[in-house]
Each structure stands twice: as C-alpha cells, then as structure tokens.
Amino acid sequence: MKKVSYYTAEGLKKLRDELNQLKDVERPRASQAIAEARDKGDLSENAEYDAAKEAQGLLEMKIAKLEELVANARIIDESQLDVSKVLVLSTVKLKNLANKMEITYTLVAESEADLKAGKISVSSPIGKGLLGKSVGEIAEIKVPNGTLKLEILEISR
C-alpha cells in the first residue's frame, strides 16, 4: 500500500528539484565514474570499480525512493483547512506549563521539518500530540524525558 504524503507547494517543488538534480547531474556522474574505473583494467581486483558500482546502486535507491514520494505526494489546499483545530500546516502558539515559556511551531510533512525554522513534523511526538487540539486545550505529550504539558494559545495558517 502506498503512503500518501501531504506537502506545501514549496515543499513539493523542493522534492522535485532534488529528484531532478539526482537524475540529471548525479546519475551521469556515477556512470562516468564507473566508465573511468572500468578503463583502468582488470575488474576482478579493481576496488575503484566496486566502489563506483556501489555508489551507483545507492544513488538509484535514493532516486527510486524520491520518485515514489513524488508520485504519492499531494498538495494541501490551505484555504480548505479548519482553523479551529490543529492540523497539518497549522502555526500553533504554545505555552509550556512547566517553565511558562511560549513557543511557536508550524506543523509540516516529515520531509519539510526544520526545527531551526520552527517547522516540526506532524509525525513527531509533539506534532502527533497537538493534532486535533483546539485553542485552550492542554496537550500532554510523552517525550523521552517525561511528559510535556503544552497549552494551545493560538492557531493560525
């Protein structure tokens, strides 16, 4: 069964750009490395040839994985999303009840997650714990060092 993943238009473009880079630049480079190693003689004792073939195999696996991701990707129509609950692409302002700190996260697809930019994956423990919650609710989220209690202060798009 194929796993459908949801992306922003920007996230899907980034995924497609990476796939094109691998196919158009990296694949020919790998083939060239194999050809150069093959030209050096006896293949049975040619470590450079073996390494180039292995690198090509890993590259092809990565390309296949990205092709599957792109094929099963769906763009999220932000205008159709409910702003009363936390969903994918929600920007959520939270208050940590333990230390009273306020933080803001945007929930995104796993491949778009970037903690430095305040984007967390919906499949992360915090992301899963916030999904479906409304303003004023307290999300109790189990994390490796205990349980986080986060109050949802604001939800926006």
Side-chain angles (χ1 to χ4, degrees), residues 15 18-19 22 61-71:
L15 206 60
E18 182 181 356
L19 180 59
L22 291 175
M61 279 184 3
K62 190 172 183 179
I63 288 172
K65 184 178 178 188
L66 279 174
E67 283 176 335
E68 185 177 335
L69 276 175
V70 169

Side-chain angles (χ1 to χ4, degrees), residues 4-35:
V4 174
S5 298
Y6 295 94
Y7 293 89
T8 59
E10 173 190 339
L12 186 57
K13 182 188 180 315
K14 202 180 291 185
L15 206 60
R16 285 186 174 135
D17 289 346
E18 182 181 356
L19 180 59
N20 290 337
Q21 167 75 14
L22 291 175
K23 284 178 155 182
D24 301 340
V25 177
E26 300 298 326
R27 185 182 270 166
R29 192 178 294 158
S31 295
Q32 182 65 31
I34 290 171

Side-chain angles (χ1 to χ4, degrees), residues 2-134:
K2 303 290 182 204
K3 182 181 174 197
V4 174
S5 298
Y6 295 94
Y7 293 89
T8 59
E10 173 190 339
L12 186 57
K13 182 188 180 315
K14 202 180 291 185
L15 206 60
R16 285 186 174 135
D17 289 346
E18 182 181 356
L19 180 59
N20 290 337
Q21 167 75 14
L22 291 175
K23 284 178 155 182
D24 301 340
V25 177
E26 300 298 326
R27 185 182 270 166
R29 192 178 294 158
S31 295
Q32 182 65 31
I34 290 171
E36 287 174 7
R38 191 180 313 126
D39 291 343
K40 293 185 178 173
D42 185 9
L43 298 181
S44 64
E45 295 180 12
N46 191 335
E48 193 175 330
Y49 176 77
D50 292 339
K53 286 295 283 182
E54 185 175 332
Q56 182 189 37
L58 293 173
L59 177 66
E60 291 303 325
M61 279 184 3
K62 190 172 183 179
I63 288 172
K65 184 178 178 188
L66 279 174
E67 283 176 335
E68 185 177 335
L69 276 175
V70 169
N72 296 312
R74 303 290 179 265
I75 293 180
I76 299 169
D77 182 1
E78 294 181 56
S79 66
Q80 302 296 311
L81 296 177
D82 180 7
V83 291
S84 66
K85 294 192 181 302
V86 177
L87 302 169
V88 177
L89 294 185
S90 292
T91 298
V92 187
K93 187 174 182 182
L94 306 164
K95 182 179 192 177
N96 185 332
L97 297 179
N99 61 14
K100 306 296 185 223
M101 285 185 59
E102 290 186 5
I103 44 179
T104 302
Y105 291 128
T106 301
L107 275 68
V108 296
E110 200 169 321
S111 64
E112 293 182 66
D114 179 2
L115 192 56
K116 290 178 186 168
K119 295 179 178 182
I120 62 169
S121 167
V122 291
S123 57
S124 69
I126 293 174
K128 285 179 183 175
L130 294 174
L131 285 176
K133 299 281 190 264
S134 302

Side-chain angles (χ1 to χ4, degrees), residues 141-153:
I141 302 163
K142 291 196 186 315
V143 291
N145 64 346
T147 301
L148 275 178
K149 289 187 180 185
L150 302 172
E151 181 182 359
I152 298 167
L153 302 175

